[in-house]
Amino acid sequence: QVRLVESGGGLVQAGGSLRLSCAASGRTFSTMGWFRQAPGQEREFVAAIRWDSRTTNYADSVKGRFTISRDDAKNTVYLQMDSLKPEDTALYVCASAPYYRSFYYTTSLYDYWGRGTQVTVSS
């Protein structure tokens, strides 16, 4: 059974930092992604990492501020978020895919999702 468990969310002031974690278990993952969803908005892509090559991809809105990485030994993916802005406020959700494709930024690639961790950035 595939299981994804996020942690690390919280309340932070604008300009601050948070590190999110996603502990994964249950199978070999090819691509791991982070998405976020604010109230009343669609789920949007944040970042993705390809497991075998460590190739990373980012949404334009977070490029240069967020960093996705992984720890093989812990089977955990991280999202380091720096220079946070109020518009980063959302539920951050981890997802996994059995392969890597050029459409890594779409929800359709991913077949397992975590329950999310809330990030709130105050101005």
Side-chain angles (χ1 to χ4, degrees), residues 3-57:
R3 195 157 178 255
L4 304 175
V5 180
E6 303 95 335
S7 60
L11 173 64
V12 64
Q13 288 189 331
S17 298
L18 283 174
R19 188 176 82 155
L20 306 184
S21 299
C22 174
S25 62
R27 72 166 184 201
T28 300
F29 304 97
S30 181
T31 303
M32 296 292 292
W34 283 98
F35 288 75
R36 65 187 182 186
Q37 188 165 18
Q41 296 187 21
E42 291 188 355
R43 186 164 290 185
E44 67 170 355
F45 170 75
V46 176
I49 185 166
R50 184 173 177 176
W51 207 262
D52 56 356
S53 67
R54 297 182 185 261
T55 298
T56 58
N57 304 100

Side-chain angles (χ1 to χ4, degrees), residues 75-115:
N75 220 26
T76 298
V77 175
Y78 302 99
L79 185 68
Q80 177 66 42
M81 306 187 297
D82 299 317
S83 302
L84 282 161
K85 304 175 182 180
E87 51 263 44
D88 293 320
T89 294
L91 180 71
Y92 282 72
V93 184
C94 174
S96 71
Y99 39 75
Y100 181 84
R101 293 292 185 269
S102 60
F103 50 91
Y104 54 81
Y105 51 88
T106 65
T107 57
S108 60
L109 178 67
Y110 303 87
D111 56 354
Y112 286 97
W113 296 80
R115 302 187 71 170

